[in-house]
Every structure is written in structure tokens, then in C-alpha cells.
Amino acid sequence: MVKNDRGGFGSKFGMMMTVAGSAVGLGNIWRFPFLAGENGGAAFIIIYLSLVLVIGIPLVLSEFSIGTAAKAGAILSYKKLAPKTKWHYNGYLTEVTGYLLLGFYCVVAGWTLRFFYESVAVGFDGQSATQIKESFEGFTSTWWQSTLAGLIFVAMCAYVVIRGIEKGIEKWNKFLMPLLFASLIFLCINSMTLDGWEKGMEFMFSPDWSEVTGQTIIDALGQVFFTLSLGMGVMITYSSYSKGDDNMVKSKVTVSVIDTSVAILSGIAIFPAVFSIEGLQPTQGPELVFLTLPSVFANLSYGWIVAILFFFMLSIAALTSAISIMEMLVTLFIERYGITRRRATFIIVAIMAVLTLLCALSSEIFNLFDMLTANYLMPIGALLIALFVGFAMDKKLRYNTFTSNGKYSRWIYPIFLFIVRYVAPLAIVIIILNGVGLI
Ligand code: TRP
């Protein structure tokens, strides 16, 4: 494949860690374990895994086909692959999604940084559940504190993105992702020693098919999209920086396995700890991470170490995901105005500063961004990407990209095409209709 002056990934391992870094995010740690626990345990996990395999991976491959074939960002790619059509509007859509998602992601990531700081500087020992709650609510409702934390986070992302793909993003992901895995494994081993081990395992894994309804499947599908960072052009952007011909199917299956393992291991790290403390019940979302778990850490022996590792891991997860969104936006600006990466990064930081401020100031805006991206923009983006690859992209180019010029995975190509054309669009339409409340 052509080498060009946009730069690119230096190694396969680095690229894999970077793509996994985008996928492994807050969604794996605070959303997946609880969804599984509440929706039939192992039964949910089996459904989820099947959906990752049947729908998630083909969609990741679709985004990769676009970026690998066009070697450009999320808008220019369409202009190159389908000139004189309106397909590039899909790129504008994913751009908007990127701003909105990054806006509230930065605020939550700012909270994560603040908790990491607190776990190192003060610790949660001796704090009651009420004190933890009051301190968290005091923090989130003081707009300048949330904004400041969010801006520090934006600055950290920019520090990495401004250095480019190989020397910034790849280098940091190669370093941070293994640290995330190591922290997670340590937390899981610690979980085994806790009183709540059995109860926690039972909560997350005991299969209960009676809990599985149509809604469960839709929720699982929504999680598959979110966790694989689909429908936002991020995978288009990263794949446009790949060099050499990779065995695409194999490397994307590996990334999905990493992503799913982190989600499952997070449950193993979290629930036994929650059940070790009398009277505590698992929760989800911000409440789990910022209220329930700090109470758990306050009561666990050596809880301070566990707290530090946990918030460290969460900060890395948020950072590597946010970096991928920022890179998608920076690439767009470089290509749109022909400016340097440095200048593009500064512009994006300025835009993000405003959006972070808005999300920190108003919980309505925060919730609106969250709802718009998760229920509408990401699924619509993914739908259009699937349709583009399925019907509009040049047949030969699509085949050659998917199989690395006929080298790998030829047998699976017809299945891929069938899914991308029919199965995935149908599944996405169901999610959208469900999000709107029509089914
Ligand atoms: N995958 C991330 C997570 O699990 C969230 C996410 C969704 C994302 N879409 C994205 C991250 C696009 C980066 C880019 O938390």
C-alpha cells in the first residue's frame, strides 16, 4: 500500500493497541458489567458475543474498508471513493457526532481524573457514603471545577494528538493499554480474595434466560455499537493511517476479543468488591463508578491501593477513547483547510473547551448530547456506513481491501457482504426505532 506524508502507524502491535484503546472506554467498565448482571448474566453475555461476531465485527470491517481504501479522513474518504455523490454528508454527520460525544465524554473523564487525584492525594478511607455523595455532587455542581477538570483532560488528549500518529497516539497507546490490562488483572486477582467473590460471580454470570426479552437484545446491540466505537468515522480515520497489508479480519477479531475481555474482566473486578460490603447493591453508570465504588474502597482492606488502580485504569480507558475522537476531528481539519496538525489540534481544543464548558454548566445539555449521540447520531452514522460499503463502494476495491488483495479471508467475504447489506442495516433500524420509542 502507498506510503504518504500523512504519517502512519509504525507497527501492527501499535495499531492494534490504538484501535483497542478507542474501543475500550467508559462503556466497558461502567455499562457492560451492569447490563450483563441485570439482564440474565451468562445468557446476556452469550447474546452479546453473538452480536459482536455477527454484526459488530462486520461493521468495524466496513469502516476499516473505507479508510484503508481511501487513505483519508471521514469526509475526504467519501469524496475519493464516491466522487460527485452526496455520500460525504455522512462524514459531516459523524463530525457533529464527534463534537457532541467528546463534549460530554470530557466532562465525565474530568470527574475520573478528579477521583484519581483524590484516591492518590487523600484516599476514601473513613469517608461515609453520604460524605462521598456530597463531595461528588458538590464537585459536579460547581461548574468551574468540572470545567477545569474537563479542560485538563482535553489538554492531555491534545498533548498526545499534536505529536502525530506514530510519535504521539501510537506511542502512548502502546504504553498505556498494557498498563490498563495489568491494573485490571491485578484488580481481578484481588477480587478473588474477597468475601463477595461468589455473590459477585453469581450476579454477573448465572445464566437466566427468563430475563431475556426483545429489549435485552436491543440493549445488547446498542452496547455492541457503543463499545466498538462504531458509526463515528473513528475507525475510518485510524485505518487510513495503516501501512502495509494487514490481515484485516484477523486483527479486527483480535481487537473485539480484547474489548469484550476487558468488559467481562471489569465485572469480575467490580462486583465481588461491591458484594463484600454489607448492604451495598450494584448500580450502573456514573453512580457505580463515582458513588458506589468509592464507598466500597473506603471499607476494603488495602482499599486505597484498589482505588488508585481502579481510577488509574478508568482514566486510561477514557483518555485513549477520547484521543481517537480528537484524532478523527483533527484529521478532518488538516484535510479541509490544508493546515498543519499543530494548528488543527489548537482549533479542536478551542472548540472542545466551549463544548466542555457547556456540558459542565448544564446537565440538560450534557444529557441532550448523550441522548442524541447514543440514540440517533451513532446508529444513523453506522447505518449509512454499512449501506455505503454494501452498495455504493466500488466492488473490486471493496473486495481487495477486505481480503488484502486476495490474500486473506476470501471465503468469508460473501458472508460479510450479506451482513453489511441486509442484516446490519435491519438491526440498526430496529435500534433507532426503539430509541425513538416506536417499538
Ligand atoms: N467505545 C467507547 C467506550 O466503550 C465509547 C465510544 C463510542 C467511542 N463511540 C466512540 C470512543 C467513538 C471513541 C470513538 O466507552
Side-chain angles (χ1 to χ4, degrees):
M1 225 149 271
V2 278
K3 257 192 172 181
N4 52 29
D5 55 7
R6 301 165 76 233
F9 288 100
S11 69
K12 280 189 187 165
F13 174 74
M15 179 159 182
M16 189 172 294
M17 287 298 109
T18 306
V19 177
S22 173
V24 172
L26 300 172
N28 297 60
I29 300 171
W30 83 19
R31 212 152 157 250
F32 178 83
F34 186 83
L35 268 182
E38 280 290 277
N39 286 294
F44 178 88
I45 297 178
I46 291 170
I47 296 177
Y48 172 84
L49 287 175
S50 323
L51 291 173
V52 167
L53 200 69
V54 176
I55 298 183
I57 295 177
L59 282 173
V60 177
L61 288 167
S62 302
E63 290 206 25
F64 264 76
S65 302
I66 298 177
T68 312
K71 291 266 165 267
I75 294 176
L76 188 58
S77 277
Y78 294 103
K79 292 190 177 162
K80 280 187 168 177
L81 297 179
K84 303 204 186 73
T85 65
K86 296 209 164 29
W87 278 105
H88 64 279
Y89 286 142
N90 190 22
Y92 292 115
L93 179 81
T94 52
E95 179 176 7
V96 172
T97 318
Y99 292 129
L100 302 190
L101 185 66
L102 195 54
F104 81 85
Y105 216 79
C106 286
V107 172
V108 180
W111 301 344
T112 308
L113 288 185
R114 183 258 187 193
F115 272 79
F116 176 58
Y117 172 77
E118 186 167 335
S119 63
V120 174
V122 215
F124 301 102
D125 288 7
Q127 292 194 44
S128 69
T130 336
Q131 278 170 323
I132 290 172
K133 189 162 187 226
E134 275 169 6
S135 124
F136 177 58
E137 283 170 358
F139 175 75
T140 52
S141 59
T142 317
W143 69 271
W144 67 266
Q145 290 186 348
S146 283
T147 309
L148 186 66
L151 290 183
I152 293 176
F153 181 79
V154 173
M156 288 166 76
C157 296
Y159 176 85
V160 175
V161 170
I162 210 166
R163 284 168 172 67
I165 295 290
E166 188 172 353
K167 296 211 172 73
I169 296 179
E170 178 176 357
K171 185 175 133 198
W172 280 95
N173 272 289
K174 249 182 356 195
F175 171 65
L176 290 173
M177 290 307 286
L179 281 181
L180 183 150
F181 302 139
S183 314
L184 184 58
I185 288 175
F186 179 89
L187 291 172
C188 288
I189 294 174
N190 176 59
S191 260
M192 291 179 195
T193 67
L194 301 174
D195 295 341
W197 169 253
E198 274 175 22
K199 259 188 160 171
M201 287 293 101
E202 203 188 305
F203 176 75
M204 179 135 172
F205 293 110
S206 69
D208 183 355
W209 289 97
S210 70
E211 297 269 355
V212 174
T213 59
Q215 188 61 41
T216 317
I217 298 174
I218 295 180
D219 286 346
L221 202 52
Q223 174 67 9
V224 168
F225 278 99
F226 191 79
T227 194
L228 293 174
S229 308
L230 288 169
M232 262 184 59
V234 165
M235 296 299 169
I236 298 182
T237 310
Y238 272 170
S239 58
S240 76
Y241 290 108
S242 69
K243 287 183 191 164
D245 32 22
D246 191 11
N247 181 341
M248 249 217 312
V249 177
K250 192 170 134 202
S251 65
K252 273 7 111 199
V253 170
T254 313
V255 167
S256 309
V257 170
I258 296 177
D259 184 64
T260 307
S261 313
V262 170
I264 293 176
L265 290 174
S266 299
I268 299 180
I270 291 171
F271 293 134
V274 174
F275 282 109
S276 302
I277 312 298
E278 190 94 24
L280 272 186
Q281 284 297 324
T283 47
Q284 74 165 331
E287 193 180 334
L288 168 72
V289 170
F290 301 121
L291 299 179
T292 310
L293 285 179
S295 298
V296 171
F297 300 147
N299 287 296
L300 232 48
S301 45
Y302 296 106
W304 63 274
I305 304 183
V306 179
I308 292 177
L309 278 180
F310 179 80
F311 286 111
F312 176 64
M313 168 177 99
L314 201 63
S315 306
I316 295 179
L319 188 66
T320 51
S321 294
I323 284 173
S324 73
I325 310 179
M326 192 180 265
E327 174 58 34
M328 186 264 290
L329 297 169
V330 164
T331 300
L332 288 181
F333 270 72
I334 296 176
E335 290 173 356
R336 180 176 300 154
Y337 300 114
I339 51 180
T340 59
R341 170 171 287 273
R342 199 181 155 75
R343 180 163 293 187
T345 310
F346 278 117
I347 297 175
I348 297 298
V349 167
I351 298 176
M352 286 333 298
V354 175
L355 291 172
T356 305
L357 175 68
L358 284 177
C359 287
L361 275 179
S362 147
S363 58
E364 277 95 40
I365 297 185
F366 179 94
N367 291 333
L368 177 73
F369 283 13
D370 182 6
M371 192 274 292
L372 275 180
T373 50
N375 291 357
Y376 300 95
L377 298 172
M378 279 170 20
I380 295 173
L383 175 66
L384 293 174
I385 287 169
L387 294 177
F388 177 78
V389 173
F391 296 103
M393 196 170 160
D394 178 69
K395 285 193 195 84
K396 220 163 150 197
L397 192 58
R398 180 177 60 206
Y399 178 82
N400 284 341
T401 327
F402 184 87
T403 60
S404 310
N405 297 318
K407 261 200 260 162
Y408 312 105
S409 329
R410 280 182 305 247
W411 63 275
I412 211 175
Y413 180 74
I415 306 178
F416 162 77
L417 200 57
F418 180 74
I419 292 178
V420 169
R421 282 186 169 164
Y422 309 107
V423 184
L426 185 71
I428 301 171
V429 168
I430 293 176
I431 295 193
I432 297 174
L433 292 179
N434 181 262
V436 190
L438 283 178
I439 49 171

